[in-house]
């Protein structure tokens, strides 16, 4: 069975920055071609084939003949694709199933002979480390426990301060355990016996848990469908422990047939969902996390991230992505920093997270210039709200997207914004509108020209917001500037004043 999600015609040759990663996992074999800036590479081609290499690992200790044949067919295709794409940098990693199987080394030899690929069989420590780095690549300030549930193993990694700390690799893969057909009581006993080998887990109570891996991501997908969440993006989707406990109880109460027909659960995952839920349930009881946060990044992203210099790793992935998008789609990409500085007084009561989101919005505030004027607001909103950003949660996405929407529209009217407003409190929505109106005014006043805003200044007192403009620039204050400035003042519930400063 194949599951394709392609964003690039294979005939289109990627840039010299492209890297192909072939992941020979215990459940699936996948090719991802990454392209783009070092800190925020994007998957330009993404295809997987479910081969089930780890299906018989728990019973026979070997890779099944059919699974190996399916995997080799997929790998021959992937080798041909990367050759025709002209990609020189190809990384091939095999994980738990190949590492542990009696015939794993023979299978690797077959791959290398038939596909001319150099396969790296990852150790348990390497697999855990790459999984943890993958989480850090997409959630830089992650602090707690990352868990990557694969088909053949479970990797557990303590992460904080941009670093990997404790790691463990346990033979608790969802596919492996599901096909051992073990009674639930015995399965739970086995899981806890393996957890006991990682005694450091007991010290993580109260911190967050970052869930990685296909089976666990399906839990997020199902919850998104079930609750009609406005954003169908798994990365940085967050549940409280109570919400996750309720979700796991629901999954475990469903029959295989019900799981097979449930919205949000791929049919290919139905048979392993109970096992995945039980592993999660036991882990939550062991670690008592504050929140469960799902990561869209994992081992493959971690492999790329591990090769970056530390200085590059510490760059903000959201702001890097915004700058790259602005350079590709905006007219005045470098204008964002000047606009952000000009909005300083509007952010006096905003925390560091809010200031970062404001800078993101300022950087992206001109990306829809090319669209018909009637569609610019909606175009910019959709582009930002659904973009493959790292380093930002769902509420943060809503804040940035709504701010840029208001930059074009002047308010939040229209159907495009309805879903995103559900994610914000009234105060957060008002702040997003304030920033949007400030962005709108900045572009109108300056016409997108660098150097004008730095000569003007916004001052806010208890009762009044004042726009200070030197006399030489006074002709810029026309009808549109006045109206937009008054709209900003009204949203802040302040009086407006324009002061011309003599030369």
């Amino acid at each position: 069975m194949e599951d394709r999600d392609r964003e690039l015609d294979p005939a289109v040759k990627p840039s010299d920055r492209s890297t192909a990663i072939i992941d020979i996992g215990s459940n699936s074999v996948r090719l991802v071609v990454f392209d783009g800036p070092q800190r925020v590479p994007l998957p330009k081609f993404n295809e997987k084939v479910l081969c089930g290499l780890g299906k018989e690992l728990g019973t026979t200790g070997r890779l099944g003949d059919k699974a190996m044949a399916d995997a080799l067919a997929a790998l021959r295709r992937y080798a041909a694709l990367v050759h025709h794409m002209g990609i020189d940098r190809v990384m091939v990693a095999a994980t738990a199933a190949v590492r542990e199987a009696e015939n794993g080394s023979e299978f690797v030899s077959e791959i290398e002979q038939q596909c001319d690929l150099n396969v790296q069989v990852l150790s348990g420590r390497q697999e855990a480390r790459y999984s943890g780095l993958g989480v850090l690549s997409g959630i830089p300030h992650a602090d707690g426990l990352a868990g990557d549930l694969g088909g053949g193993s479970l990797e557990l990694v303590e992460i904080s301060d941009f670093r990997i700390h404790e790691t463990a690799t346990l033979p608790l893969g969802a596919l492996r355990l599901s096909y051992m057909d073990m009674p639930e009581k015995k399965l739970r006993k086995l899981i806890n016996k393996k957890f006991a080998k990682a005694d450091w887990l007991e010290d993580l109570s109260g911190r967050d848990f970052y869930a990685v891996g296909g089976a666990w991501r399906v839990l997020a997908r199902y919850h998104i469908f079930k609750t009609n969440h406005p954003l169908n993006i798994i990365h940085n989707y967050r549940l409280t422990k109570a919400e996750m406990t309720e979700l796991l109880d629901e999954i475990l109460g469903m029959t295989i047939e019900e799981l097979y027909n449930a919205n949000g659960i791929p049919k290919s995952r139905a048979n392993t969902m109970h096992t995945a839920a039980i592993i999660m349930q036991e882990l939550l009881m062991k670690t008592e996390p504050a929140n469960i946060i799902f990561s869209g990044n994992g081992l493959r992203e971690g492999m790329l991230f591990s090769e970056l210099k530390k200085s590059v790793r510490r760059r903000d992935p959201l702001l890097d992505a915004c700058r790259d998008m602005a350079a590709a789609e905006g007219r005045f990409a470098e204008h964002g920093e000047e606009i952000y500085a000009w909005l300083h007084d509007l952010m006096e009561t905003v925390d560091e997270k809010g200031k970062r989101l404001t800078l993101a919005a300022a950087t992206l505030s001109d990306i829809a210039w090319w669209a018909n004027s009637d569609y610019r607001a909606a175009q910019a909103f959709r582009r930002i709200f659904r973009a493959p950003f790292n380093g930002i949660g769902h509420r943060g996405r809503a804040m940035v997207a709504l701010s840029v929407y208001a930059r074009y529209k002047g308010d939040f009217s229209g159907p495009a914004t309805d879903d995103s407003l559900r994610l914000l409190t009234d105060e957060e929505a008002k702040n997003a509108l304030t920033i949007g109106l400030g962005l709108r005014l900045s572009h109108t006043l300056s016409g997108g020209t660098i150097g004008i805003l730095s000569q003007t200044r916004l001052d806010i007192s208890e009762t009044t917001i004042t726009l200070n403009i030197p006399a030489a620039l006074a002709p810029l204050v026309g009808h549109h500037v006045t109206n937009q400035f008054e709209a900003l003042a009204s949203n802040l519930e302040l009086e407006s004043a324009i002061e011309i400063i003599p030369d």
Side-chain angles (χ1 to χ4, degrees):
M1 177 179 178
E2 296 186 8
D3 175 18
R4 297 189 180 97
D5 177 15
R6 297 184 219 160
E7 298 178 7
L8 178 70
D9 185 330
V12 179
K13 183 176 178 180
S15 75
D16 293 337
R17 299 179 296 180
S18 294
T19 298
I21 294 184
I22 298 175
D23 178 3
I24 306 172
S26 301
N27 191 28
S28 65
V29 175
R30 184 188 290 266
L31 165 66
V32 183
V33 177
F34 291 96
D35 193 18
Q38 278 189 309
R39 183 60 184 87
V40 283
L42 295 175
K44 292 294 186 71
F45 182 93
N46 188 341
E47 179 178 303
K48 74 176 178 183
V49 179
L50 296 175
C51 302
L53 284 170
K55 187 182 295 186
E56 300 175 24
L57 198 61
T59 53
T60 68
R62 297 175 61 83
L63 305 174
D65 291 339
K66 183 180 185 305
M68 288 191 292
D70 289 345
L72 279 168
L75 291 167
R76 285 193 295 270
R77 167 176 162 76
Y78 295 164
L81 279 175
V82 297
H83 171 73
H84 287 290
M85 288 179 180
I87 300 173
D88 296 324
R89 190 161 179 255
V90 182
M91 304 166 73
V92 186
T95 56
V98 175
R99 178 174 67 241
E100 297 182 29
E102 292 177 11
N103 56 343
S105 59
E106 298 170 22
F107 180 54
V108 169
S109 296
E110 281 295 309
I111 296 171
E112 293 180 340
Q113 289 176 22
Q114 292 192 30
C115 307
D116 194 25
L117 295 171
N118 182 23
V119 181
Q120 180 185 11
V121 180
L122 301 180
S123 68
R125 165 70 181 170
Q126 286 175 312
E127 190 173 351
R129 179 173 176 270
Y130 287 142
S131 295
L133 288 175
V135 173
L136 288 173
S137 74
I139 310 175
H141 297 285
D143 183 352
L145 175 67
D148 186 350
L149 180 64
S153 65
L154 170 64
E155 278 64 55
L156 298 173
V157 191
E158 182 189 3
I159 51 179
S160 66
D161 301 321
F162 304 97
R163 294 173 52 211
I164 301 296
H165 300 283
E166 300 283 355
T167 68
T169 297
L170 306 175
L172 298 176
L175 187 68
R176 173 196 291 209
L177 295 181
S178 295
Y179 281 86
M180 290 173 69
D181 199 23
M182 196 179 298
E184 183 176 324
K185 186 175 180 180
K186 186 176 180 181
L187 175 59
R188 290 183 184 274
K189 185 176 180 180
L190 172 65
I191 292 169
N192 279 291
K193 182 179 179 181
K194 299 301 181 183
F195 284 165
K197 295 183 178 180
D199 55 4
W200 49 271
L201 290 174
E202 298 175 359
D203 300 328
L204 299 178
S205 177
R207 294 165 72 182
D208 288 333
F209 175 65
Y210 301 87
V212 184
W216 279 348
R217 289 181 184 130
V218 169
L219 293 173
R221 181 77 69 199
Y222 175 71
H223 195 266
I224 286 171
F225 273 93
K226 174 177 176 287
T227 59
N228 195 29
H229 185 74
L231 189 59
N232 190 17
I233 292 178
I234 289 174
H235 186 65
N236 241 318
Y237 187 63
R238 176 184 296 253
L239 296 176
T240 64
K241 182 174 180 288
E243 289 171 330
M244 177 57 84
T245 299
E246 182 180 344
L247 174 61
L248 294 174
D249 288 341
E250 179 178 344
I251 292 292
L252 291 171
M254 298 168 72
T255 65
I256 296 297
E257 184 178 359
E258 288 171 333
L259 289 168
Y260 189 82
N261 293 308
N263 286 331
I265 299 180
K267 291 176 172 53
S268 58
R269 293 284 185 184
N271 288 328
T272 60
M273 287 309 299
H274 281 165
T275 302
I278 288 171
I279 296 171
M280 173 73 82
Q281 207 172 53
E282 293 298 326
L283 188 58
L284 297 189
M285 286 191 280
K286 182 80 171 177
T287 59
E288 295 289 337
N291 302 288
I292 294 84
I293 302 167
F294 293 87
S295 171
N297 290 6
L299 181 140
R300 293 176 295 276
E301 291 78 12
M303 291 176 69
L304 287 181
F305 194 64
S306 70
E307 298 194 339
L308 299 180
K309 295 179 181 179
K310 287 185 178 180
S311 60
V312 178
R313 288 190 201 180
R314 287 180 175 267
R315 292 210 309 244
D316 190 315
L318 171 64
L319 297 180
D320 263 24
C322 290
R323 292 180 185 116
D324 191 61
M325 185 185 293
E329 302 177 30
R331 291 171 297 178
F332 317 112
E334 64 279 12
H335 203 203
E337 295 279 353
E338 186 178 41
I339 294 173
Y340 173 75
W342 189 72
L343 297 176
H344 177 271
D345 271 23
L346 295 183
M347 298 181 290
E348 281 193 337
T349 60
V350 176
D351 60 15
E352 288 304 312
K353 180 180 178 181
K355 291 177 181 177
R356 175 173 172 266
L357 296 178
T358 301
L359 177 55
T363 304
L364 298 174
S365 60
D366 194 48
I367 62 169
W369 66 272
W370 51 269
N372 182 286
S373 59
D374 291 332
Y375 293 97
R376 284 174 189 159
Q379 178 67 31
F381 173 84
R382 294 189 184 99
R383 184 75 177 88
I384 296 167
F385 195 48
R386 299 169 184 170
F389 288 142
N390 283 323
I392 188 171
H394 286 203
R395 290 168 69 186
R397 284 174 176 274
M399 289 285 290
V400 176
L402 285 166
S403 293
V404 180
Y405 182 90
R407 167 267 192 267
Y408 285 107
K409 187 81 169 180
D411 55 32
F412 291 152
S413 63
T417 64
D418 292 346
D419 285 345
S420 61
L421 285 168
R422 289 169 44 201
L423 295 172
L424 304 182
T425 65
D426 290 344
E427 182 179 357
E428 288 170 335
K430 182 177 180 180
N431 288 340
L433 180 56
T434 295
I435 296 302
L437 293 174
L439 295 174
R440 185 175 177 82
L441 175 61
S442 72
H443 278 277
T444 301
L445 177 62
S446 67
T449 303
I450 294 176
I452 290 178
L453 293 179
S454 60
Q455 298 181 62
T456 70
R457 190 177 73 254
L458 287 175
D459 287 329
I460 298 179
S461 68
E462 291 185 5
T463 61
T464 306
I465 178 171
T466 303
L467 175 58
N468 297 280
I469 297 182
L473 298 180
L476 295 178
V477 182
H479 172 75
H480 293 299
V481 169
T482 301
N483 284 350
Q484 291 175 18
F485 183 49
E486 288 176 354
L488 174 61
S490 176
N491 189 61
L492 292 168
E493 299 178 9
L494 297 171
E495 296 295 324
S496 63
I498 296 177
E499 182 174 337
I500 306 300
I501 303 171
D503 292 336

